[in-house]
Amino acid sequence: MKKKLCILVILIAVLLVGTVGCYFMPKKFGKNVNPSEVDHINVFDGNTGTGFTITDSEDIEYIVANIQGISMKRDGISLGRTGYSFKISYINSNDKDVIPVFILNSDNTICKDPFFYRCDGGLCFDYLKECEEKYRTNVTESIEEK
């Protein structure tokens, strides 16, 4: 009986240490994504309610490399919290998601349920704002031309 109890306690301790270790391990979003695999990036701005598609290969490469290059740490539970800035999805040439959709809330926060992930800053949040202006302008200009 003591042997079974000892094994059970050790098993629970190992699971607990493993869970805590996984929680505090850094995460990189899209670490296995090659920017050339991404045909376009769909972005929806939750603040303005507008969506836009990034198609320029230089913009795609910059965004993918930026998000890949920053290690994030879990920083709380995101379940039940609403609102976001940019919902991002990388799409390949077959119109399939390359990675699951994630949300860029600021230059230091990504939300991927069930967690928030934070870093010291440097995410391409302002770059996406510039892209929104650029690609929204192009859509408006092409509509006005018709």
Side-chain angles (χ1 to χ4, degrees), residues 41 43 51-56 58-60 62-63 86 124-139:
I41 299 175
V43 181
F52 58 99
T53 301
I54 298 171
T55 55
D56 182 69
E58 289 179 11
D59 290 336
I60 292 170
Y62 178 82
I63 292 166
F86 294 115
C124 57
F125 186 79
D126 291 331
Y127 190 82
L128 282 171
K129 283 184 177 181
E130 291 172 14
C131 284
E132 181 175 17
E133 292 300 316
K134 173 182 171 182
Y135 288 98
R136 190 168 24 153
T137 301
N138 289 343
V139 170

Side-chain angles (χ1 to χ4, degrees), residues 18 32 48-49 63 78 88 98 104 106:
N32 297 324
T48 64
I63 292 166
S78 66
I88 300 171
V98 176
L104 184 63
S106 67

Side-chain angles (χ1 to χ4, degrees), residues 2-141:
K2 285 185 179 183
K3 188 175 182 180
K4 287 183 180 181
L5 182 61
C6 185
I7 290 172
L8 182 62
V9 169
I10 290 172
L11 183 62
I12 291 172
V14 167
L15 287 173
L16 184 62
V17 167
T19 302
V20 169
C22 286
Y23 182 82
F24 288 107
M25 285 186 62
K27 176 171 177 60
K28 289 193 175 194
F29 287 86
K31 64 182 174 186
N32 297 324
V33 175
N34 184 342
S36 64
E37 295 174 5
V38 179
D39 182 62
H40 58 279
I41 299 175
N42 289 334
V43 181
F44 183 81
D45 186 339
N47 294 319
T48 64
T50 59
F52 58 99
T53 301
I54 298 171
T55 55
D56 182 69
S57 60
E58 289 179 11
D59 290 336
I60 292 170
E61 186 173 337
Y62 178 82
I63 292 166
V64 172
N66 174 267
I67 292 172
Q68 280 177 339
I70 297 178
S71 291
M72 309 291 293
K73 293 183 180 177
R74 285 181 182 89
D75 187 45
I77 305 292
S78 66
L79 292 175
R81 298 205 180 161
T82 59
Y84 58 87
S85 291
F86 294 115
K87 182 169 34 170
I88 300 171
S89 57
Y90 299 162
I91 309 296
N92 66 15
S93 59
N94 297 324
D95 283 336
K96 304 285 183 194
D97 284 340
V98 176
I99 61 170
V101 174
F102 63 93
I103 296 170
L104 184 63
N105 279 336
S106 67
D107 77 329
N108 70 347
T109 306
I110 288 179
C111 179
K112 177 74 176 121
D113 282 339
F115 298 109
F116 285 110
Y117 297 86
R118 297 206 196 278
C119 65
D120 293 332
L123 292 171
C124 57
F125 186 79
D126 291 331
Y127 190 82
L128 282 171
K129 283 184 177 181
E130 291 172 14
C131 284
E132 181 175 17
E133 292 300 316
K134 173 182 171 182
Y135 288 98
R136 190 168 24 153
T137 301
N138 289 343
V139 170
T140 305
E141 288 173 357

